[in-house]
Amino acid sequence: MTHSPEEPMAGRGALRDRLPPLDPPPELADRVRRTLGTRGLVRRPARRVPTWVTRSGLIAAGIMLGILGRGAYQEAVVSGGAASVTPLGQYVLLLYGDTPGDTGAVHLAREREYGRWASELRDGARWVGGHELHDVIVDLAGARPISPVESERLTGYFVIEAASPERAAEVARTCPHLKYGGRVVVMAVAS
Amino acid sequence: VTPDAESDDALLGRLARTGDARAFEVLYARHTSALYSTAVRLTRDPDAAADIVHDAWVRAVESLHRFENRSTLRTWLTGILINRHREHERERQRDGADDDLTVRDVIDAASSRPLDDTRFDRLDLEAAIAALPAGFRHVLVLHDVEGFTHEEIATMLGIVPGTSKSQLARARQRVRDFLEAGVPRSVP
């Protein structure tokens, strides 16, 4: 709340302590938690693999910082329970195109499908980050603004780690974005 | 820094970035009592109040990206609560014709004596507020109980600040009238 200089303070908030307390029912908290959990909006912090969350530019910023900070990152993993130790490189899967009219519950279901796909990567590949991208704010080429072509609109990205470029390409071929008519471009992150 | 010591903004950031349940729990604990109190006084129905507080939290978390730091989190949450309440009212077709004040009805709010300098029983006061028509009740609860400014109330209710002031003045007078004449005890 703010204080407006022209507004008399008299009476503002003065009745709060003069009224009987009204405590929310204890079950309300569980009800809110359950709804938020069902919709994938709130998760326990220990859970590592997130769903494909759409609604925060902050997430994108955080992930991009992660990419920049881990560009040279190499890690050994045990794949398939065998003792094979494989160095991983980072790759970006750029998702182009979108499904017109894909909103609301349909969109949410698709987000969850993408999230499941990302969380289930294994065998020499694993999810690092990703986010859906909203509409282009401005598309600049030098000093000349250009109009983005809708069919080539970048709609999201995943960052993965994979044992090889070939494995990254295999992963990309399984991305659910393809079955919705989208295009997936794989690029290696410079190390 | 423990979650309890973090600012609303920091907790909102973590909730938006990672869906951090602990951040949500702290925010819920900080703001739900005020939201619920407001909701009960607006709806006069504890069950309906719980429903709209539930819906307000879900909508808020769904639309965290829309929160701008032009207001406090509590103001933003209360605005969402008000919107949900109004939808709820429309759904239940409980809008009263007594809410139709316009700018022409503006009364100089400065001439309206605040209620806090009046001595009265707090249950009578609660009952008097509950007996107000919805438009008066909304403004009085948001201003005199919850402490929002007329500008904030105007934004929440989709009216001009002058209307908020005039409704407050009339609401206070109506409460005084109730208190002097006796109020039916129908408060939840």
Side-chain angles (χ1 to χ4, degrees):
Chain A
M1 287 169 287
T2 56
H3 291 261
S4 174
E6 71 276 9
E7 180 181 1
M9 285 291 296
R12 188 149 73 81
L15 297 184
R16 188 178 303 150
D17 295 332
R18 294 175 178 260
L19 291 168
L22 297 169
D23 295 324
E27 65 272 17
L28 177 60
D30 280 341
R31 197 175 145 208
V32 176
R33 283 185 202 110
R34 200 162 47 243
T35 304
L36 294 176
T38 302
R39 298 189 185 188
L41 296 167
V42 166
R43 294 176 294 277
R44 290 288 147 195
R47 185 172 173 180
R48 181 182 175 278
V49 179
T51 56
W52 179 271
V53 182
T54 63
R55 295 179 177 82
S56 171
L58 290 173
I59 294 180
I63 290 171
M64 289 310 292
L65 285 172
I67 295 169
L68 295 172
R70 297 176 63 185
Y73 179 73
Q74 296 274 298
E75 183 177 328
V77 296
V78 176
S79 99
S84 59
V85 178
T86 310
L88 298 181
Q90 279 203 344
Y91 301 86
V92 180
L93 277 57
L94 301 170
L95 312 185
Y96 288 91
D98 207 348
T99 303
D102 186 9
T103 58
V106 174
H107 191 76
L108 186 60
R110 193 166 150 191
E111 288 171 22
R112 288 180 179 148
E113 182 182 3
Y114 282 35
R116 277 197 305 275
W117 171 80
S119 68
E120 290 169 359
L121 291 181
R122 51 182 53 83
D123 297 332
R126 71 181 185 188
W127 177 90
V128 174
H131 203 272
E132 181 177 4
L133 299 175
H134 287 161
D135 292 340
V136 172
I137 296 170
V138 64
D139 189 340
L140 301 173
R144 179 174 58 88
I146 58 174
S147 300
V149 179
E150 185 61 27
S151 63
E152 293 183 349
R153 191 167 77 84
L154 182 63
T155 55
Y157 64 91
F158 283 109
V159 180
I160 66 167
E161 289 177 339
S164 66
E166 292 75 20
R167 179 64 185 130
E170 286 177 11
V171 167
R173 290 189 191 98
T174 67
C175 180
H177 194 63
L178 294 170
K179 77 178 184 184
Y180 292 105
R183 186 160 62 98
V184 180
V185 174
V186 181
M187 301 177 78
V189 175
S191 60
Chain B
V1 179
T2 62
D4 284 347
E6 289 184 75
S7 68
D8 281 354
D9 284 347
L11 292 165
L12 281 174
R14 285 204 289 115
L15 182 56
R17 282 193 300 276
T18 65
D20 187 338
R22 284 184 303 178
F24 168 74
E25 294 294 337
V26 176
L27 291 170
Y28 182 92
R30 276 184 194 169
H31 297 288
T32 301
S33 287
L35 290 174
Y36 180 74
S37 296
T38 302
V40 169
R41 293 187 173 113
L42 295 181
T43 62
R44 300 176 288 192
D45 177 347
D47 292 336
D51 284 345
I52 67 171
V53 170
H54 166 273
D55 293 352
W57 268 117
V58 173
R59 285 189 184 180
V61 177
E62 280 179 336
S63 55
L64 286 177
H65 63 291
R66 291 186 193 154
F67 176 65
E68 299 171 357
N69 289 320
R70 288 183 298 188
S71 67
T72 64
L73 176 62
R74 187 173 154 234
T75 302
W76 185 64
L77 289 171
T78 303
I80 295 172
L81 182 88
I82 297 286
N83 285 335
R84 183 63 194 107
H85 165 59
R86 299 175 104 187
E87 291 169 5
H88 192 262
E89 289 283 288
R90 282 196 292 273
E91 289 162 9
R92 296 171 64 166
Q93 299 183 331
R94 287 195 338 203
D95 276 337
D98 217 355
D99 298 341
D100 298 333
L101 285 179
T102 68
V103 183
R104 289 174 298 177
D105 300 311
V106 168
I107 294 172
D108 182 5
S111 69
S112 171
R113 186 162 48 95
L115 288 168
D116 57 311
D117 61 357
T118 310
R119 295 186 180 280
F120 32 66
D121 179 87
R122 63 184 194 163
L123 290 178
D124 279 343
L125 176 60
E126 188 80 87
I129 292 171
L132 288 171
F136 291 171
R137 192 170 66 253
H138 295 174
V139 172
L140 187 126
V141 167
L142 293 171
H143 187 279
D144 279 5
V145 181
E146 298 303 328
F148 291 108
T149 65
H150 286 296
E151 286 72 18
E152 290 170 328
I153 294 167
T155 301
M156 291 174 191
L157 298 180
I159 57 179
V160 297
T163 302
S164 175
K165 291 176 184 175
S166 72
Q167 286 185 317
L168 177 65
R170 290 176 173 225
R172 286 173 171 172
Q173 187 55 52
R174 192 75 70 95
V175 167
R176 283 195 191 88
D177 293 344
F178 280 140
L179 292 172
E180 289 171 8
V183 188
R185 290 291 178 84
S186 57
V187 181

